[in-house]
Amino acid sequence: MTSAKKPLLAALGGEAVWPPPFWLMRQAGRYLPEYREVRAQAGDFIALCTAPKLAAEVTLQPLRRYGMDAAILFSDILMVPWAMGQGLRFAEGEGPRLDPVQDAKAIAGLKLGQVVEKSAPIMETVSRVAAGLKKDHPNTALIGFCGAPFTVACYMVDGKGGGEFPMTRRLAYGDPAAFGALIDTLAEASRLYLLEQVKAGAEALMIFDSWAGMLPPSQFRRWVIEPTARLVRALRRDLPPGFPLIGFPRLAGPLLTEYAETVGVQAVGMDTGMDPVWAAKHVPAEVALQGNLDPQALVAGGPALIEQAESIMAAMKGRPFIFNLGHGIVPPTPPEHVAALAERLKRG
Ligand code: 1CP
């Protein structure tokens, strides 16, 4: 029996849709010349995220080329700290820079009360994309998102990316009450921000925990699984039953099972290093899996790309699955390699 639902939503509802629905993390972005054009027009990155017409345009760009099954709102996980009043800038070629929030006083100064108002332009982007999909891509679903509390806290405390986040990890051990207050503030901000996206037309929500796997197991449970589970429970009080949520605890390793069993999401993301055969066996069958092609295989292209994609599909056949990358697409990706991948996926 085939479902009348959009393929992505059917997979999130637990159906083993085949050929698998697909989209790519960071699918709107720097590898596309048409993105670079709009980006230059907007000036800086925050200006682009808060210009609904331009942000909606770049959200839709990859669909016109490749017909993905999902559009993902063009914004950034760091727009939540920005909306709470934290200083944020994106330095060209350096990535994000934030005015660090490193003690109880700074954490208490975050302005939860302004999140909804400051994120209004982002919600207008969501509405515009929803209208664009209805008109031109009726089978494509709109994914809204936020960063998970832990990953957003990493940037807020350390003030920049880099992948180690020493200040954040030390704060979590040294002053767990202050760090816990930051995590709770972020969970509440994320709840408000995600519900606004659903009101504006998001059909699924993804919670990106890109740095979750940096933590040892006890800390992973305390700062990743528990706060995300609380966020999901709080969201569900206001969402329709079964509203599709996707969690992505990157680098979770075998803790992916506990995350999938505990957090209450319909799908979990597999990162590049996750063995899809293992995940198929150790993640409950009703939880959809999403992933996990190596973004560098997409840069390389050729037979290696197709073989990788086929081996992931072989492991996932017969269970609810969404094809994606194991992490974000990288700027040197040749657009024609994405076309070759899309072509292969559509054959199932
Ligand atoms: O110069 C530019 O054009 C800015 C580059 C860029 C882009 C295109 C940044 C800065 N963010 C984005 C968009 C973005 N970020 C999206 C939108 C849509 C899409 O996927 O197509 C999404 C979902 C994100 C999420 C995001 N931002 C994450 C989670 C996913 C992941 O990749 O791990 C993280 C960790 C960020 C932080 C961030 N924002 C931007 C950069 C360069 C970074 C990473 C910094 C670092 O290396 O730590």
Side-chain angles (χ1 to χ4, degrees):
M1 218 175 62
T2 51
S3 162
K5 277 187 179 173
K6 298 180 180 187
L8 184 100
L9 301 180
L12 289 171
E15 284 179 48
V17 180
W18 210 259
F22 84 105
W23 65 282
L24 304 174
M25 284 188 271
R26 300 288 187 99
Q27 65 190 22
R30 293 173 286 182
Y31 71 108
L32 291 176
E34 60 269 35
Y35 168 80
R36 292 194 294 269
E37 222 167 272
V38 176
R39 171 81 166 71
Q41 207 181 312
D44 70 272
F45 180 72
I46 295 174
L48 176 54
C49 292
T50 52
K53 225 175 141 178
L54 299 182
E57 166 59 20
V58 297
T59 305
L60 295 167
Q61 282 175 345
L63 310 181
R64 297 188 193 121
R65 281 184 183 249
Y66 311 114
M68 282 90 169
D69 295 286
I72 181 155
L73 165 68
F74 188 86
S75 180
D76 195 81
I77 63 167
L78 301 177
M79 295 309 283
V80 167
W82 171 85
M84 289 195 292
Q86 187 172 15
L88 167 68
R89 66 198 168 84
F90 287 85
E92 208 58 60
E94 272 180 57
R97 291 287 181 276
L98 299 90
D99 301 336
V101 162
Q102 293 178 330
D103 54 33
K105 187 164 170 265
I107 292 162
L110 294 165
K111 301 184 183 84
L112 248 183
Q114 66 182 43
V115 167
V116 169
E117 194 189 316
K118 281 204 80 171
S119 58
I122 298 170
M123 304 311 150
E124 192 189 327
T125 305
V126 175
S127 320
R128 283 173 175 267
V129 174
L133 294 183
K134 200 167 174 194
K135 182 165 163 281
D136 297 322
H137 310 273
N139 290 319
T140 297
L142 174 50
I143 301 177
F145 73 93
C146 72
F150 176 70
T151 284
V152 179
C154 283
Y155 290 94
M156 292 178 76
V157 175
D158 271 83
K160 58 181 196 303
E164 283 296 322
F165 303 101
M167 306 311 286
T168 307
R169 289 151 73 196
R170 279 176 226 163
L171 182 65
Y173 287 116
D175 192 349
F179 191 67
L182 175 57
I183 293 290
D184 289 348
T185 302
L186 277 167
E188 178 57 8
S190 305
R191 185 185 73 83
L192 296 167
Y193 179 73
L194 291 175
L195 288 175
E196 288 300 302
Q197 292 181 49
V198 173
K199 278 192 231 160
E203 297 166 283
L205 297 169
M206 178 150 165
I207 302 170
F208 286 93
D209 219 340
S210 304
W211 301 107
M214 187 171 52
L215 296 173
S218 62
Q219 294 274 299
F220 183 91
R221 293 186 176 101
R222 182 169 186 182
W223 304 121
V224 172
I225 292 185
E226 288 171 17
T228 310
R230 286 198 297 273
L231 167 59
V232 167
R233 277 198 302 274
L235 279 169
R236 293 222 184 272
R237 290 201 288 268
D238 292 307
L239 290 174
F243 189 92
L245 302 176
I246 308 167
F248 181 42
R250 197 171 71 91
L251 306 174
L255 283 166
L256 186 64
T257 305
E258 195 172 317
Y259 181 99
E261 289 170 348
T262 313
V263 167
V265 285
Q266 274 74 8
V268 292
M270 299 180 288
D271 58 68
T272 304
M274 173 59 58
D275 177 0
V277 174
W278 185 93
K281 222 182 276 171
H282 292 93
V283 168
E286 68 277 10
V287 177
L289 288 165
Q290 173 174 279
N292 71 338
L293 182 78
D294 185 348
Q296 298 300 341
L298 196 53
V299 179
L305 164 62
I306 299 304
E307 278 160 30
Q308 269 277 317
E310 287 174 349
S311 94
I312 295 165
M313 286 200 280
M316 292 291 122
K317 197 157 186 181
R319 71 163 357 272
F321 169 58
I322 298 155
F323 192 97
N324 205 315
L325 299 175
H327 199 189
I329 203 166
V330 290
T333 304
E336 60 275 19
H337 292 179
V338 182
L341 173 65
E343 168 67 26
R344 177 64 194 85
L345 294 175
K346 281 169 189 166
R347 286 193 279 122

